Amino acid sequence: MAKSALLKSSLAKKYWMALTGLFLCLFLAGHLAGNLQLIFSDALHFNQYALFMTSNPAVKILSYLTYFSILFHAVDGFLLTYQNVKARPIGYAKNNPSANSSFSSRNMAVLGTLILVFIVTHMVNFWAVMHFDKNMPLQSITVEVMGQKQELYVTTNGGYMPVSQVAKSYEEAMKTGAQTYIEHRTDFYNTQARVKIGEGYKDLHKITVAFFKDAKLGLIATVLYVIAMFVLAFHLLHGFSSAFQSLGLNHPKYTPAIKGFGKAFAIVVPLLFAIIPVYIHFFLK
Amino acid sequence: MSTAKNINITLKIWRQKNAKSKGSMETYKLDNVSTASSFLEMLDQLNEQLVNERKEPVAFDHDCREGICGMCSLYINGRAHGPDTGITTCQLHMRMFNDGDTIYVEPWRSRAFPVIKDLVVDRSAFDRIQQAGGFVSVNTSGNTIDANATPINKHDADKSFEAAACIGCGACVATCKNGSAMLFVGAKVSQYALLPQGKVEATQRVLNMVRQMDEEGFGNCTNTGACEIECPKGISLENIARMNREYLKASIK
Ligand code: HEM
Ligand code: SF4
Ligand code: FES
């Protein structure tokens, strides 16, 4: 172990690149399954899923692994690319690389950097809002009670809480005399007893729909999202099968199958991701 | 066959006085080149012309001129060993070119292969990688064992033989966008890893050869596959995968 420098050598870096890359492919599949609920399910199920993803301990471990993988993959990728650029200080006056290699395989670093930019903006837009925004709305539904429209918060134990009777804070409840107020962003508290009586769902569904339906920026956001998915597709077109080669898995029987599956994965996954904002922007409601 | 004809060409060639000087692309006109001549014969013809003009001839590497020594190099019109596949530069013929063509001729470009003069590069980095582990230690003090006494699986013997076909020309490094030497090292590691004689030193071999490869300043493989296509001996990417497996195995031992 000591002799081989399992972090430093060229091959070791490639192993880590491949392992983190493949883990991120798994992450993509999981993330996609969740996102597709924006099309195939309702707001409640989507928000339940979002809550599960931010609170379940097993998912927490997976999400930390994902953060780590993205960082490690990016840093390792930059190191490798830096060395690769250094390995040819003087370029060719005439070069014809398309004669022997694919566009994707030659531009993994550029594609990856664009993906990194996308991941950061994507996390600012959704992940950070979900995790840190103090004004994140809680999910409510509108019902008709005796001809009167009424807004009700949905609680995680399947109950409802009339929006008109819930104050934004204890101070507000003291002023307005509301029976209930919101504490810790999602908890419903009884004003007299000051104890928790229920919990609401952060309405990520609403945030997402509003983001892509925004009158000013919704179209731009949708177009940029679709472009980012093209970039991801090209990264994976080479990356998926390349990772197996990096790990030493090249076999006359299995490699064609891995390549075929990799191509399909690289097209289908980004395509399904891209359909979601397009559907929200142009077709929802 | 008398389909040969004479063509006139323009050459753009890298000229560099010595390892320290800067160098630049120079343009030469060369008339009446027979399409039956080889690329290197065409360069000989150019050099005769230069000598007659009392100019310094172009320095380029060559030896066997039959595709076995690996000495000839040259990046021709943006491809290692020129257009055509499965050949070295000495096996490239002028029939691949047309009258009026402009042909770019450049040295291998790699930090680990510094230019010595014009089109000649120093490939001793490959020698040092070989010396780091590309051998088997055998006792030769009069008790050599007949090679056929050790039974070897036919499939492995064939794969080993294919890997051993590598002539160390460096086209893989030259064509790789990363200047990576992994096809060469993969071939050298595989050649021995597949045979019982090579198993004895397998662990040290792959660790040492990869370490030397990294120290020489070659880049890292991105699996673009360009090397496999440009390699005159058809060395397959399978050999890089085998090196990756061998290195992983050796690393956790
Ligand atoms: C969800 C996001 C991503 C996924 C699923 C992904 C997946 C992959 C896979 C499977 C590989 C092939 C590994 C190999 O050849 O051994 C790869 C290579 C690469 N990735 Fe990513 N990647 C992602 C994001 C990024 C980011 C953010 C960057 C950089 C900032 C990046 C930079 C690279 C580079 C430079 C390579 C080529 C490395 C090499 O072959 O030496 N990737 N990626
Ligand atoms: S692997 Fe092929 S291209 Fe590379 S040095 Fe050997 S023969 Fe030349
Ligand atoms: S001169 Fe020997 S291989 Fe070309």
Side-chain angles (χ1 to χ4, degrees):
Chain A
M1 187 94 161
K3 295 157 282 172
S4 69
L6 255 186
L7 269 174
K8 259 177 66 196
S9 81
S10 53
L11 290 198
K13 283 204 207 75
K14 294 269 356 188
Y15 299 149
W16 286 112
M17 211 59 204
L19 289 173
T20 50
L22 285 179
F23 181 77
L24 288 176
C25 288
L26 275 180
F27 153 75
L28 283 183
H31 192 354
L32 176 63
N35 285 12
L36 282 175
Q37 298 183 47
L38 283 161
I39 294 186
F40 296 110
S41 186
D42 54 18
L44 179 61
H45 283 97
F46 181 76
N47 288 334
Q48 278 174 340
Y49 161 76
L51 177 63
F52 173 77
M53 292 306 279
T54 44
S55 56
N56 181 290
V59 175
K60 271 235 163 75
I61 295 174
L62 279 181
S63 64
Y64 283 118
L65 258 177
T66 307
Y67 305 146
F68 169 81
S69 290
I70 292 172
L71 279 179
F72 204 101
H73 189 84
V75 170
D76 216 16
F78 281 124
L79 279 179
L80 284 165
T81 307
Y82 171 71
Q83 289 178 333
N84 294 347
V85 171
K86 246 189 12 184
R88 175 160 301 140
I90 302 174
Y92 293 106
K94 184 170 170 129
N95 205 359
N96 187 9
S98 57
N100 52 36
S101 56
S102 69
F103 168 84
S104 292
S105 73
R106 279 178 275 122
N107 292 287
M108 290 301 275
V110 176
L111 294 167
T113 307
L114 290 175
I115 297 174
L116 188 62
V117 172
F118 169 78
I119 293 176
V120 171
T121 46
H122 186 72
M123 285 179 78
V124 169
N125 291 337
F126 299 106
W127 177 87
V129 172
M130 185 72 185
H131 279 78
F132 307 119
D133 190 356
K134 293 268 189 303
N135 302 314
M136 178 97 187
L138 297 182
Q139 194 197 345
S140 60
I141 52 166
T142 313
V143 288
E144 273 205 24
V145 185
M146 291 180 286
Q148 286 242 322
K149 281 218 164 124
Q150 211 183 351
E151 281 282 302
L152 299 174
Y153 282 126
V154 183
T155 64
T156 54
N157 53 14
Y160 299 97
M161 194 76 70
V163 173
S164 57
Q165 288 169 29
V166 180
K168 289 273 176 289
S169 65
Y170 181 65
E171 287 71 32
E172 194 188 305
M174 292 306 283
K175 264 189 239 153
T176 60
Q179 293 283 308
T180 319
Y181 65 95
I182 298 174
E183 189 74 87
H184 310 124
R185 298 165 61 205
T186 53
D187 294 343
F188 297 117
Y189 270 60
N190 177 284
T191 311
Q192 271 86 46
R194 301 199 73 171
V195 290
K196 182 173 166 179
I197 53 171
E199 194 178 331
Y201 288 107
K202 290 185 188 173
D203 202 350
L204 187 63
H205 188 274
K206 188 175 182 179
I207 299 273
T208 310
V209 171
F211 184 82
F212 287 112
K213 273 195 126 30
D214 186 86
K216 266 205 240 129
L217 297 171
L219 183 63
I220 298 258
T222 306
V223 169
L224 286 179
Y225 193 101
V226 171
I227 291 175
M229 289 308 107
F230 264 100
V231 172
L232 179 63
F234 279 109
H235 196 72
L236 293 179
L237 224 37
H238 175 70
F240 191 94
S241 56
S242 171
F244 288 84
Q245 165 80 5
S246 295
L247 293 169
L249 304 168
N250 183 326
H251 190 279
K253 205 151 88 203
Y254 306 116
T255 298
I258 291 171
K259 283 194 171 157
F261 181 82
K263 292 249 174 339
F265 187 91
I267 293 166
V268 172
V269 169
L271 181 70
L272 289 176
F273 267 116
I275 284 175
I276 297 164
V278 171
Y279 168 78
I280 293 176
H281 183 79
F282 292 105
F283 302 106
L284 193 67
K285 267 186 232 147
Chain B
M1 281 204 295
S2 59
T3 47
K5 53 179 184 186
N6 283 358
I7 58 174
N8 301 336
I9 54 174
T10 304
L11 291 156
K12 297 213 179 258
I13 300 181
W14 181 261
R15 301 304 306 264
Q16 181 174 336
K17 218 169 146 112
N18 54 47
K20 293 207 173 63
S21 60
K22 238 177 105 12
S24 61
M25 295 298 286
E26 301 295 334
T27 307
Y28 303 95
K29 291 231 173 277
L30 189 60
D31 292 344
N32 291 320
V33 178
S34 167
T35 52
S37 65
S38 76
F39 196 86
L40 295 187
E41 281 167 339
M42 181 276 291
L43 287 182
D44 293 336
Q45 191 179 335
L46 170 72
N47 277 346
E48 269 172 46
Q49 180 177 311
L50 289 176
V51 169
N52 288 339
E53 293 168 359
R54 301 192 179 279
K55 287 185 188 149
E56 177 85 9
V58 179
F60 61 92
D61 261 334
H62 59 99
D63 190 3
C64 73
R65 297 211 178 193
E66 54 180 355
I68 52 170
C69 74
M71 273 310 280
C72 58
S73 48
L74 305 188
Y75 211 71
I76 302 161
N77 272 352
R79 305 273 306 267
H81 292 139
D84 218 352
T85 46
I87 54 152
T88 52
T89 295
C90 60
Q91 295 169 301
L92 177 66
H93 280 77
M94 289 311 292
R95 57 175 172 264
M96 294 296 293
F97 300 92
N98 297 314
D99 194 39
D101 275 2
T102 298
I103 306 171
Y104 283 74
V105 190
E106 299 172 74
W108 286 169
R109 293 295 190 194
S110 158
R111 183 159 70 105
F113 291 163
V115 173
I116 301 169
K117 184 178 166 64
D118 296 339
L119 302 170
V120 179
V121 297
D122 178 358
R123 278 172 284 190
S124 56
F126 269 11
D127 300 341
R128 289 188 290 275
I129 295 175
Q130 276 287 62
Q131 285 153 12
F135 51 80
V136 282
S137 307
V138 262
N139 186 346
T140 51
S141 56
N143 55 356
T144 26
I145 299 163
D146 182 75
N148 293 324
T150 313
I152 298 168
N153 176 315
K154 172 83 165 81
H155 174 264
D156 291 347
D158 287 348
K159 289 275 172 203
S160 171
F161 196 80
E162 281 168 24
C166 167
I167 53 177
C169 64
C172 43
V173 175
T175 198
C176 174
K177 81 174 243 297
N178 308 316
S180 166
M182 291 200 191
L183 194 65
F184 167 77
V185 182
K188 297 302 168 195
V189 165
S190 291
Q191 172 186 343
Y192 298 108
L194 284 157
L195 301 180
Q197 291 89 340
K199 293 255 183 338
V200 185
E201 292 154 306
T203 304
Q204 283 314 306
R205 174 180 305 112
V206 68
L207 294 178
N208 290 341
M209 289 183 87
V210 168
R211 182 180 37 72
Q212 190 65 36
M213 170 180 82
D214 289 350
E215 273 173 21
E216 296 292 347
F218 291 105
N220 310 290
C221 175
T222 327
N223 306 327
T224 69
C227 53
E228 180 182 55
I229 288 171
E230 300 298 346
C231 172
K233 299 298 157 189
I235 302 295
S236 146
L237 286 185
E238 277 176 44
N239 292 292
I240 299 184
R242 188 175 297 104
M243 168 178 72
N244 294 354
R245 288 200 294 276
E246 289 289 319
Y247 189 82
L248 193 56
K249 248 194 310 189
S251 298
I252 53 184
K253 247 186 195 164

